[in-house]
């Protein structure tokens, strides 16, 4: 290690932030003004950056220099991604890193606050083959009972999930193909869910959240895999759970007139907060409609509305997380820590904390806040690597 | 002045009659009406309305009886023209059919009138008395009413609607009367405001610790 390098530099942090910012080593080298080989040595831990280089590194990556000296917290359980396509390798790494940051943020806040007690049904399945449709229905019903939601429409699923002690993040990720991910944190002893807000569809987002909830309950003890069939089975089970949880048989079924029309289902969509597509799937699962009837409804749905959107998709404002936001507000309101010192204490840039916690943009803005520089679009676009991969900024900077 | 009771008839009904039983009765009356229609097919046009009316009485009674046997208690046996009744919580449950929305048939049965006397105790829920104090009664009566529309010769096989109805003590008016679908929806909407439990709490000594550190 370099004689002049700073003490305690954590190379894992560098690897993590490269994933989160979706930067290659050579792109970062260009931004910091060092050679790619130097970045490689920092990353491997064979050399640590000197003070000035660390400042530049922190500056271009939008974190405090001290952040690079913080020990990385224990890894989250391996999340399940909707898409295992190889095209999304770097996107998955970014999302995983982002979820780790949410864990770090929650852990820092936990120094001062207690989160709601974790209240989830527990299951010990170790293989998806062990899980039957009945098991999923029972788990969904048990979850509703534990959360005292009754068997009717769930008004705000995000509120219910966070009230059960699950940490929720909803942010723009730039990757619309991956709607969400979830994982268990050993250090927090609770799970985290990250939802992509890119589609800005309140109906889809609710279903995505219920889907992740299904993974957390049913698949906690199942080894995740990239094997296609097994991955597909896990996804189908999480989907089934989402349908059963949002649309309980005993109440939902009584509201459906058969034979049904797409317009009947649109009314149900508005009332239950679930897309027509998901309602058709649930009707088929409950054997209220046959496979051929479901197929016919899907055909008519495509013919009338296209494959990607449904009428009224924008009617429902997506549900927002509150828990991390409230924790920060509590710390500020109770004068535990001044507003402007929180980003420095945590080590993230203010806008990263705002996004992870759901605070409004500019919440930490104050004349006392030390503004960390943001990467400009021009500097990013000029740093295209020879392979032609472009750097996607995590979120569009303020114009 | 006494405070009016907070409870309402619909709340009393929902607390005493499980949703499952209401759904079972709904299904029984619909299916009973269809069975009656099937049974009356082929009869001479001059007889048909009479036979259909009789068949409805028998088939709907039998289906109602089955629903009560499986989901209620103290169900009376099927015997001649006797009124079938069962018990759920503090409610005695009976049924009758009516044409349209004017229920002339309701008071024809002495047994139904006798059953309705118990509702004296719940009348204060609708019309609080100045001197009477409401106390939860030990007995009350509710009826499931199958409604058919128009003349019997033109009616469709199925019931037009089914109502949950609670008569006054003389069976001259209704303390509560509602379409069964709407009544069933009440069970779903019991939780009207979702509880907000997504609240972090400040750790003990958090402020003190920060002051000491600084």
């Amino acid at each position: 290690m370099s004689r002049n390098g700073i003490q305690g530099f954590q190379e894992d942090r560098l690897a993590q932030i490269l994933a989160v910012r979706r930067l290659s080593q050579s792109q970062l080298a260009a931004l910091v003004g060092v050679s790619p080989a130097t970045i490689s040595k920092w990353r491997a831990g064979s050399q640590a950056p000197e003070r000035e280089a660390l400042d530049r590194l922190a500056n271009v990556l939008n974190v405090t220099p001290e952040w690079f000296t913080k020990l990385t917290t224990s890894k989250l359980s391996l999340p399940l991604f909707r898409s295992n396509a190889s095209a999304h390798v770097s996107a998955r790494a970014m999302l995983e890193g982002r979820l780790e940051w949410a864990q770090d943020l929650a852990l820092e806040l936990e120094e001062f606050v207690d989160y709601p007690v974790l209240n989830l049904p527990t299951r010990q399945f170790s293989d998806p083959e062990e899980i039957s449709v009945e098991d999923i229905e029972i788990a969904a019903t048990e979850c509703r009972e534990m959360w005292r939601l009754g068997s009717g429409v769930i008004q705000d699923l995000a509120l219910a999930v966070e009230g059960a002690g699950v940490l929720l993040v909803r942010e723009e990720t730039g990757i619309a193909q991956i709607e969400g991910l979830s994982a268990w944190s050993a250090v927090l002893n609770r799970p985290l869910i990250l939802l992509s807000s890119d589609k800005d569809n309140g109906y889809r987002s609710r279903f995505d959240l219920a889907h992740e909830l299904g993974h957390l309950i049913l698949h906690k003890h199942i080894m995740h895999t990239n094997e296609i069939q097994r991955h597909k089975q896990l996804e189908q089970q999480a989907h089934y759970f989402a349908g059963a949880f949002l649309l309980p048989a005993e109440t939902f079924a009584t509201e459906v007139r058969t034979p049904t029309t797409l317009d009947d289902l649109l009314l149900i969509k508005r009332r239950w907060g679930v897309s027509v597509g998901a309602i058709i799937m649930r009707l088929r699962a409950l054997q209220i409609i046959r496979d051929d009837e479901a197929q016919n409804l899907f055909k008519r749905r495509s013919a009338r509305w296209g494959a990607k959107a449904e009428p009224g998709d924008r009617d429902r404002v997506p549900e927002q997380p509150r828990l991390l936001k409230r924790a920060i507000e509590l710390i500020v309101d109770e004068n535990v820590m001044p507003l402007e010192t929180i980003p420095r204490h945590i080590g993230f840039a203010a806008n990263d904390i705002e996004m992870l916690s759901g605070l409004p943009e500019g919440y930490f803005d104050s004349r006392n806040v030390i503004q960390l520089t943001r990467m400009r679009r021009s500097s990013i676009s000029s740093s295209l690597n020879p392979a032609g991969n472009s750097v996607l900024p995590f979120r569009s900077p303020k114009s | 002045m006494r405070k009016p009771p907070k409870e309402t008839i619909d709340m009393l009904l929902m607390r005493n009659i499980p949703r499952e039983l209401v759904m079972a009765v709904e299904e029984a009356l619909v299916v009973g009406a269809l069975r009656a229609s099937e049974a009356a097919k082929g009869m001479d046009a001059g007889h048909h309305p009479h036979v259909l009316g009789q068949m409805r009485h028998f088939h709907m009674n039998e289906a109602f009886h089955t629903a009560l046997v499986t989901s209620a208690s103290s169900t009376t046996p099927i015997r001649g023209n006797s009124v079938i009744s069962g018990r759920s919580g503090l409610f005695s449950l009976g049924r009758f059919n009516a044409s349209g929305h004017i229920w002339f048939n309701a008071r024809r049965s002495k047994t139904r009138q006798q059953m309705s006397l118990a509702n004296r105790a719940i009348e204060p829920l609708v019309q609080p008395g100045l001197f009477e104090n409401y106390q939860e009664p030990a007995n009350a009566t509710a009826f499931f009413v199958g409604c058919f529309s128009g003349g019997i010769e033109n009616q469709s096989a199925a019931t037009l609607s089914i109502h949950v109805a609670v008569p006054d003590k003389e069976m001259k008016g209704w303390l509560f009367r509602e379409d069964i679908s709407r009544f069933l929806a009440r069970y779903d909407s019991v939780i009207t405001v979702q509880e907000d439990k997504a609240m972090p709490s400040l750790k003990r000594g958090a402020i003190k610790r920060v002051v000491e550190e600084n």
Side-chain angles (χ1 to χ4, degrees), chain A residues 321-387:
Chain A
R322 302 168 174 77
L323 194 52
L324 292 173
K325 175 173 174 265
R326 283 175 172 176
I328 292 172
E329 287 170 344
L330 185 65
I331 287 168
V332 172
D333 292 347
E334 296 294 328
N335 296 318
V336 175
M337 200 186 288
L339 173 76
E340 58 274 14
T341 61
I342 291 175
R344 184 160 288 279
H345 178 82
I346 294 167
F348 293 145
N351 70 323
D352 275 318
I353 299 175
E354 287 161 5
M355 286 171 69
L356 288 168
S357 62
L359 283 163
E361 210 171 331
Y363 176 82
F364 290 106
D365 281 354
S366 148
R367 59 193 173 88
N368 295 324
V369 175
I370 300 164
Q371 285 295 321
L372 297 165
T373 57
R374 293 177 183 210
M375 283 184 288
R376 287 177 307 188
R377 191 175 287 279
S378 57
S379 69
I380 296 166
S381 55
S382 65
S383 64
L384 289 174
N385 66 12

Side-chain angles (χ1 to χ4, degrees), chain B residues 20-29 31-32 35 57-79 83-87 93 95 144:
Chain B
E20 164 62 15
L21 173 55
V22 180
M23 291 188 80
V25 171
E26 181 188 29
E27 193 180 343
L29 299 189
V31 171
R35 284 176 187 161
H57 171 77
F58 294 127
H59 281 287
M60 291 172 81
N61 250 9
E62 285 189 13
F64 182 62
H65 181 264
T66 309
L68 292 181
V69 164
T70 51
S71 308
S73 63
S74 311
T75 307
T76 55
I78 297 172
R79 188 173 298 134
V83 167
I84 303 287
S85 69
R87 188 141 180 110
L93 304 172
R95 63 153 288 272
F144 293 94

Side-chain angles (χ1 to χ4, degrees), chain A residues 14 17-18 20-34 39 42 52-65 67-68 101 349 351-352 371-376 379-380 383 391 393:
Chain A
L14 182 57
I17 201 164
L18 280 169
V20 168
R21 300 292 191 227
R22 298 188 80 179
L23 285 169
S24 67
Q25 287 187 177
S26 54
Q27 286 167 338
L28 182 61
L31 289 168
V32 181
V34 294
I39 299 286
W42 292 348
E52 273 186 19
L54 180 67
D55 285 344
R56 285 205 305 279
L57 184 67
N59 200 20
V60 298
L61 292 172
N62 240 357
V63 288
T64 60
W67 181 80
F68 281 101
W101 278 23
N351 70 323
D352 275 318
Q371 285 295 321
L372 297 165
T373 57
R374 293 177 183 210
M375 283 184 288
R376 287 177 307 188
S379 69
I380 296 166
S383 64
V391 179

Side-chain angles (χ1 to χ4, degrees), chain A residues 96-168:
Chain A
E96 211 173 327
R98 217 46 204 171
L99 203 60
E100 284 170 6
W101 278 23
Q103 175 184 239
D104 286 350
L105 172 63
L107 205 57
E108 292 285 356
L109 298 175
E110 205 183 29
E111 198 182 332
F112 309 109
V113 300
D114 287 319
Y115 301 114
V117 175
L118 187 64
N119 184 28
L120 283 183
T122 52
R123 293 292 184 274
Q124 303 296 329
F125 301 118
S126 57
D127 190 318
E129 294 293 340
E130 296 169 14
I131 306 172
S132 68
V133 163
E134 289 75 26
D135 289 329
I136 302 173
E137 292 279 355
I138 291 167
T141 307
E142 187 182 329
C143 193
R144 270 184 172 259
E145 282 169 3
M146 285 173 77
W147 296 1
R148 296 184 183 184
L149 292 171
S151 54
V153 176
I154 299 174
Q155 292 167 5
D156 190 328
L157 180 59
L159 180 67
V161 164
E162 291 193 310
V166 179
L167 296 169
L168 179 61

Side-chain angles (χ1 to χ4, degrees), chain B:
Chain B
M1 195 168 171
R2 294 186 191 283
K3 283 184 184 172
K6 285 181 182 170
E7 185 143 59
T8 56
I9 302 261
D10 56 294
M11 285 162 63
L12 199 64
L13 284 165
M14 283 195 293
R15 260 198 310 113
N16 285 278
I17 309 174
R19 177 178 178 274
E20 164 62 15
L21 173 55
V22 180
M23 291 188 80
V25 171
E26 181 188 29
E27 193 180 343
L29 299 189
V30 169
V31 171
L34 291 173
R35 284 176 187 161
S37 176
E38 280 297 309
K41 271 183 187 167
M43 299 302 291
D44 186 273
H47 270 150
H48 187 264
H50 186 75
V51 174
L52 182 59
Q54 289 281 331
M55 285 296 130
R56 277 181 184 159
H57 171 77
F58 294 127
H59 281 287
M60 291 172 81
N61 250 9
E62 285 189 13
F64 182 62
H65 181 264
T66 309
L68 292 181
V69 164
T70 51
S71 308
S73 63
S74 311
T75 307
T76 55
I78 297 172
R79 188 173 298 134
N81 268 340
S82 298
V83 167
I84 303 287
S85 69
R87 188 141 180 110
S88 180
L90 60 85
F91 276 95
S92 293
L93 304 172
R95 63 153 288 272
F96 62 89
N97 285 345
S99 181
H101 296 288
I102 306 164
W103 299 347
F104 294 118
N105 281 356
R107 298 185 75 232
R108 282 192 189 156
S109 156
K110 291 283 176 203
T111 309
R112 284 200 292 264
Q113 286 187 43
Q114 195 69 32
M115 286 168 74
S116 301
L117 283 175
N119 286 353
R120 176 196 297 273
I122 59 170
E123 283 184 358
L125 292 178
V126 177
Q127 201 167 21
L130 191 57
F131 304 108
E132 277 178 292
N133 194 12
Y134 171 75
Q135 286 181 327
E136 176 142 328
N139 295 302
T141 296
F143 291 103
F144 293 94
V145 186
C147 296
F148 299 85
S149 72
I152 202 162
E153 55 284 343
N154 301 320
Q155 286 168 8
S156 66
T159 51
L160 182 70
S161 61
I162 298 166
H163 287 75
V164 179
V166 179
D168 65 17
K169 61 181 182 291
E170 291 169 336
M171 254 196 142
K172 287 182 176 170
W174 301 95
L175 304 176
F176 178 84
R177 177 175 151 164
E178 190 164 70
D179 183 90
I180 202 163
S181 305
R182 196 173 296 173
F183 182 72
L184 279 167
R186 288 177 181 272
Y187 289 89
D188 307 337
S189 59
V190 170
I191 299 165
T192 51
V193 180
Q194 191 180 327
E195 206 178 339
D196 184 353
K197 292 182 190 166
M199 301 296 269
S201 58
L202 208 60
K203 273 192 161 59
R204 276 189 180 180
I207 301 173
K208 194 181 164 196
R209 194 167 65 243
V210 170
V211 169
E212 282 171 0
E213 282 172 6
N214 292 334

Side-chain angles (χ1 to χ4, degrees), chain A residues 122-123 125 184 189 215-222 224:
Chain A
T122 52
R123 293 292 184 274
F125 301 118
W184 282 86
N189 199 23
H215 279 314
L216 292 174
I217 294 170
L218 300 171
H219 304 144
K220 185 180 179 185
H221 302 288
I222 293 177
H224 296 179

